[in-house]
Amino acid sequence: MISEEVLKGMFQPRTTPWRTSITKVEPNRLITQGYPQEELIGSISFPEMIHLLLKGVLPNKNQEQMLQAILVSFCDHGITPPSTQSARLMASAGSPVNACLAGGILAFGENHAGAIEIAMHMLQEGVKLSRNEDVALDETAQKLINYFTENEKKIPGFGHRYHKKDPRAPRLIELGRKYDCFKEHSQLAMHIQDQLRERKGIKMNIDGANAAILSDMGFDWRVGCGLFIVGRIPGLLAHIQEEKTQEKPFRKLMDVDTVNENEIINRF
Amino acid sequence: MISEEVLKGMFQPRTTPWRTSITKVEPNRLITQGYPQEELIGSISFPEMIHLLLKGVLPNKNQEQMLQAILVSFCDHGITPPSTQSARLMASAGSPVNACLAGGILAFGENHAGAIEIAMHMLQEGVKLSRNEDVALDETAQKLINYFTENEKKIPGFGHRYHKKDPRAPRLIELGRKYDCFKEHSQLAMHIQDQLRERKGIKMNIDGANAAILSDMGFDWRVGCGLFIVGRIPGLLAHIQEEKTQEKPFRKLMDVDTVNENEIINRF
Amino acid sequence: MISEEVLKGMFQPRTTPWRTSITKVEPNRLITQGYPQEELIGSISFPEMIHLLLKGVLPNKNQEQMLQAILVSFCDHGITPPSTQSARLMASAGSPVNACLAGGILAFGENHAGAIEIAMHMLQEGVKLSRNEDVALDETAQKLINYFTENEKKIPGFGHRYHKKDPRAPRLIELGRKYDCFKEHSQLAMHIQDQLRERKGIKMNIDGANAAILSDMGFDWRVGCGLFIVGRIPGLLAHIQEEKTQEKPFRKLMDVDTVNENEIINRF
Amino acid sequence: MISEEVLKGMFQPRTTPWRTSITKVEPNRLITQGYPQEELIGSISFPEMIHLLLKGVLPNKNQEQMLQAILVSFCDHGITPPSTQSARLMASAGSPVNACLAGGILAFGENHAGAIEIAMHMLQEGVKLSRNEDVALDETAQKLINYFTENEKKIPGFGHRYHKKDPRAPRLIELGRKYDCFKEHSQLAMHIQDQLRERKGIKMNIDGANAAILSDMGFDWRVGCGLFIVGRIPGLLAHIQEEKTQEKPFRKLMDVDTVNENEIINRF
């Protein structure tokens, strides 16, 4: 016979258990952020679900429309990004779709998809600074530009490798105003653009615009790259499908001769 | 001096170049499936964009509504799936968000998220068979069940590890009818369910329902797992964020003592 | 008070616990395949440890030497493989080293590193057939070639995208003879080479040679691709390090102009 | 007719080409770090090849022996690490071997395998400081401990989640002395251990020992995590193989009931 006390001691949990507040799983029942899933299916849009998952509450109508637009804007940039090239290389090598998608995502490193997150971080810190120290936003913009320039870093969210004038940025800003998602962070971003355009002829890019609006919608900067991935995954999937169905398997993307032998790097 | 002919020979492309029909990239211009991106942003919904990317054309209104519902239905299954556990393990180990998402996706193997793809394949082959050999759909259902049963395989899209009655499946079928996406593949799936319920008390699950409707919407079975991932990525992101912000880093999910030493496997 | 019987019922394990026979972990003690790790460190070579982990026993001296040679042979193929390009793309995008390595590994799909596993499978089935049905190995070789030729498939382990005569294969076969690892599977592989060379002028490649010898060493074909990865990982790491230290970050590997717009694929 | 000058201008490379100094690929010829691969195969050991790939030169005999021991020491830690659990989760879900390995590697985040790299960085900075500012190593040790303690960070390479006394560390240090790889970095690490043991009863772990010795062997701290992965990959492969062959596919590692519903986290 074992007393309850002894029992309690014996089975004292020694490891942190898995736990979550996102979805409660019971037999025949799935409750996500408080709502039974069968009630959400067919009642809310996919971006509403994304908002619910990441922020715990449903968005209002304006926020939903804005999020639709933002997710659409991330869609695709043709064959140029490392992520797309990686996903297609893997598809060509015969890897299954999920491995190709994972491979594409792994190429979203600091230099690639990182900009949106760094831009959100910068804008959120900037607005905090403005509020706490009562500094005007245009002054904050100047401080931020100086900071990055002095540290010889590119200002995240401005300028583009391929586009002098990223056509997606002004459209997003326009929609931000329309859907009441243009607030302090967007204002700060516009001040930065004004000053950068004058100083260096550089304009806001898609990352800068989305970073500003997502910040004004209350998203934490730490989910910035994740949201980019949510929006880009369908494009990667389309590329993988195209590679698998339209190109010969394991196609040769490089010839021995194209390896630039004259420019061999001396590493040591 | 080099003649044009010699020149042509010299630079004859020896490797297949990268190429795509998805997005045309020009300076300051991005044309996706024929539409300038700045016109798509704010005009179409995210699921419309997903449809456009994967099928090359925009969906009609019913198809869009159906796709919204399908993507919502993939959202999350709490802490139970290997994919979610993997993503959280990586988050706990301090990996960046994109690596955690990639890790989660890598756990969608044949046994995990594979079911939807196999179910789509089965239904699409079944409907083809019915059409080509003029076999009634209920008879095809019987043939498919027999085939899987004789090969001692589970029928993909039916039965669930956690739910005797998956609450998401009937809701999706109901919406399929509402949005005119309930056609031959869905009929075949219902026949399978009828016969399985009688024989074994097994019901259609979310994979079976989505496999049927996506097939009736004209999606190739090879994108089934990819679409599942598109819908599940936001849920994985929410779990990663929760792990990173709510749990202690590198938490111990296992004690030395919990490794079952009495049951050590003899592999050799 | 709770009786032991009740207790037993209450805590009946409902889930399969994690368990392993590879390493026993106790406080201050790690026993791998029966040996305390501190005794293995400094006493056995790295390939001996690899053999111990994968086969449960230490190799003999010949087998160890052979495994050293095989692992060396997998080392690197310059910039040409999709795996190397993927890993470098990720390094260029600023991903951390482990993400770059994972990305490289994901490109080892069916068409890339798959050959060694398929070759091992083919040779192991071939030798079984020869033994069970008392068929001479040269006859089995002929049957295998016919099978692949009739199904319009390449014979795995023979022929190479870049090399008409893979310099690594004959060296490995020579070492197989030297280290007493040249047995039935290698004989079968040589018969295939003899017949292929005559019929089509095709020779054994590194995958064919390693597949034969690893099979003669008793490795299951299912670890073939894994062993390839063990041997290739250091090379991938060297490429990642080179990309990170010798190239500009996020370098442009493609120009908008190089996207072949004239050859756009019509997918639909 | 085109002049050479015009030609040169036309084909001015606008993108950085792929290039490498690791392996030169020519038809029927592979030259790695200056050596034809067929000469390396069978002549050098696997760790010698790893040294050659990462440092550009072959190690001396002592260094080779040391590297064998270090790579053996990374082998496995049973079922406890997040990386092993992730790899097995993916294997259980039916993912192919390379995806499982990639998944395992993705769990080597900052908190998991990161310690060796941070330890190498710390020791290399410490030794530089000692040399440049002529500070005794025990004094540097004190400074480093103070720095980490003041910033409330764990000192990398010391202490272990499971072992009060990591049995691998003293064995590695002993071998470092034997193989003439115990120099300034190892001395600094020993000073840190002496002071930590006195202050907090904490001892050097495997990461600390390997970080010290690898630094004394001249390895850059940026390859620390990569070398750990090279040594751990065979162990991960053994676990994947064990999961795939000894456990039921897609086994349930969690019951609905085990999800701790009472402790649901409130994230918002």
Side-chain angles (χ1 to χ4, degrees), chain A residues 1-180:
Chain A
M1 300 285 266
I2 297 165
S3 74
E4 263 187 89
E5 205 168 20
V6 169
L7 181 70
K8 214 171 141 188
M10 274 173 66
F11 292 94
Q12 200 71 29
R14 277 158 312 201
T15 52
T16 322
W18 287 112
R19 52 184 190 173
T20 184
S21 73
I22 300 167
T23 298
K24 194 169 170 175
V25 180
E26 294 173 0
N28 308 327
R29 221 163 163 239
L30 292 159
I31 316 290
T32 292
Q33 305 285 26
Y35 302 90
Q37 285 191 9
E38 67 271 26
E39 290 179 19
L40 294 172
I41 299 168
S43 307
I44 64 170
S45 68
F46 187 37
E48 281 179 299
M49 178 49 107
I50 295 168
H51 195 281
L52 179 63
L53 284 165
L54 292 174
K55 303 198 60 186
V57 291
L58 287 165
N60 64 31
K61 204 64 204 164
N62 272 336
Q63 290 166 332
E64 187 216 349
Q65 290 300 311
M66 194 65 232
L67 200 51
Q68 296 269 23
I70 289 171
L71 291 167
V72 166
S73 77
F74 287 131
C75 63
D76 189 43
H77 202 281
I79 218 83
T80 63
S83 47
T84 309
Q85 291 171 31
S86 296
R88 291 189 78 130
L89 279 169
M90 288 165 198
S92 183
S95 293
V97 172
N98 69 326
C100 300
L101 285 172
I105 288 177
L106 287 175
F108 291 121
E110 210 181 311
N111 307 319
H112 183 355
I116 189 168
E117 215 159 287
I118 312 175
M120 284 174 82
H121 198 180
M122 172 187 78
L123 295 172
Q124 292 178 15
E125 289 300 312
V127 166
K128 252 189 251 165
L129 183 90
S130 283
R131 282 187 202 150
N132 293 347
E133 306 192 8
D134 205 21
V135 183
L137 286 170
D138 59 344
E139 208 178 313
T140 302
Q142 204 179 323
K143 284 186 181 183
L144 290 171
I145 294 172
N146 291 343
Y147 172 82
F148 280 88
T149 311
E150 279 157 21
N151 288 280
E152 284 175 26
K153 285 189 174 167
K154 285 174 52 183
I155 292 127
F158 296 84
H160 196 281
R161 286 148 59 86
Y162 289 102
H163 310 293
K164 235 184 129 51
K165 196 178 141 187
D166 187 333
R168 300 163 294 181
R171 176 65 177 142
L172 285 160
I173 291 296
E174 178 192 348
L175 292 165
R177 293 189 204 268
K178 178 174 171 188
Y179 294 125
D180 199 24

Side-chain angles (χ1 to χ4, degrees), chain B residues 17-22 24-26 33 53-56 106 254 256 260-261 263-265 267-268, chain C residues 17-22 24-26 33 53-56 96 106 254 256 260-261 263-265 267-268:
Chain B
W18 286 113
R19 54 184 188 174
T20 184
S21 72
I22 301 167
K24 195 168 168 176
V25 180
E26 294 173 359
Q33 305 285 27
L53 284 164
L54 292 175
K55 302 198 61 186
L106 288 175
M254 178 169 298
V256 169
N260 193 329
E261 290 167 11
E263 278 193 77
I264 278 190
I265 306 162
R267 287 180 309 143
F268 308 102
Chain C
W18 286 112
R19 54 185 190 173
T20 183
S21 73
I22 301 168
K24 195 168 169 175
V25 180
E26 294 172 1
Q33 305 285 26
L53 283 165
L54 292 174
K55 301 197 61 187
L106 288 176
M254 178 170 298
V256 169
N260 194 328
E261 290 167 10
E263 278 194 76
I264 278 189
I265 307 161
R267 287 181 309 143
F268 309 103

Side-chain angles (χ1 to χ4, degrees), chain B residues 15-267:
Chain B
T15 52
T16 321
W18 286 113
R19 54 184 188 174
T20 184
S21 72
I22 301 167
T23 298
K24 195 168 168 176
V25 180
E26 294 173 359
N28 307 328
R29 216 159 169 243
L30 291 159
I31 317 289
T32 292
Q33 305 285 27
Y35 302 89
Q37 285 191 9
E38 67 272 25
E39 291 178 18
L40 294 172
I41 299 168
S43 308
I44 64 170
S45 69
F46 187 35
E48 281 179 301
M49 178 49 107
I50 295 168
H51 195 282
L52 179 63
L53 284 164
L54 292 175
K55 302 198 61 186
V57 292
L58 287 165
N60 65 31
K61 204 65 204 161
N62 271 336
Q63 290 167 332
E64 188 216 348
Q65 290 300 311
M66 193 66 233
L67 201 51
Q68 296 270 20
I70 289 171
L71 291 166
V72 165
S73 77
F74 288 130
C75 62
D76 188 41
H77 202 281
I79 219 82
T80 64
S83 48
T84 309
Q85 291 172 29
S86 295
R88 292 188 77 131
L89 279 168
M90 289 164 197
S92 183
S95 294
V97 172
N98 69 327
C100 300
L101 285 173
I105 288 178
L106 288 175
F108 291 122
E110 210 181 310
N111 308 318
H112 182 356
I116 188 168
E117 215 158 286
I118 312 175
M120 284 174 84
H121 198 180
M122 173 186 76
L123 295 172
Q124 292 178 14
E125 289 300 312
V127 166
K128 250 189 251 165
L129 184 89
S130 283
R131 281 189 202 149
N132 293 346
E133 306 192 8
D134 204 21
V135 183
L137 286 170
D138 59 345
E139 207 178 313
T140 302
Q142 205 179 323
K143 283 185 184 185
L144 291 170
I145 294 173
N146 291 344
Y147 172 81
F148 280 89
T149 311
E150 278 158 21
N151 289 281
E152 284 175 24
K153 284 190 174 167
K154 285 175 53 183
I155 292 129
F158 295 84
H160 196 282
R161 286 148 59 86
Y162 289 103
H163 310 293
K164 235 181 130 50
K165 196 179 139 186
D166 187 332
R168 300 162 294 181
R171 176 68 176 140
L172 286 161
I173 291 296
E174 180 193 346
L175 291 165
R177 293 186 205 270
K178 177 174 172 189
Y179 293 125
D180 199 23
C181 297
F182 184 100
K183 300 182 183 167
E184 275 175 305
H185 299 91
S186 300
Q187 279 160 20
L188 176 56
M190 294 305 278
H191 282 300
I192 296 175
Q193 174 169 262
D194 288 346
Q195 296 179 27
L196 276 181
R197 191 156 43 182
E198 204 172 300
R199 286 208 221 171
K200 311 184 180 187
I202 291 173
K203 289 193 175 171
M204 195 186 292
N205 62 30
I206 183 180
D207 291 325
N210 280 329
I213 296 168
L214 285 168
S215 296
D216 277 334
M217 291 174 75
F219 281 96
D220 188 286
W221 62 269
R222 289 168 197 84
V223 298
C225 181
L227 278 168
F228 178 104
I229 291 171
V230 169
R232 180 56 65 89
I233 277 273
L236 285 177
L237 179 57
H239 277 284
I240 292 162
Q241 190 63 4
E242 190 182 51
E243 181 74 34
K244 280 185 179 273
T245 57
Q246 303 297 322
E247 302 283 7
K248 285 204 299 189
F250 204 20
R251 63 205 182 94
K252 231 172 172 173
L253 287 158
M254 178 169 298
D255 240 6
V256 169
D257 304 352
T258 62
V259 182
N260 193 329
E261 290 167 11
N262 300 322
E263 278 193 77
I264 278 190
I265 306 162
N266 194 348
R267 287 180 309 143

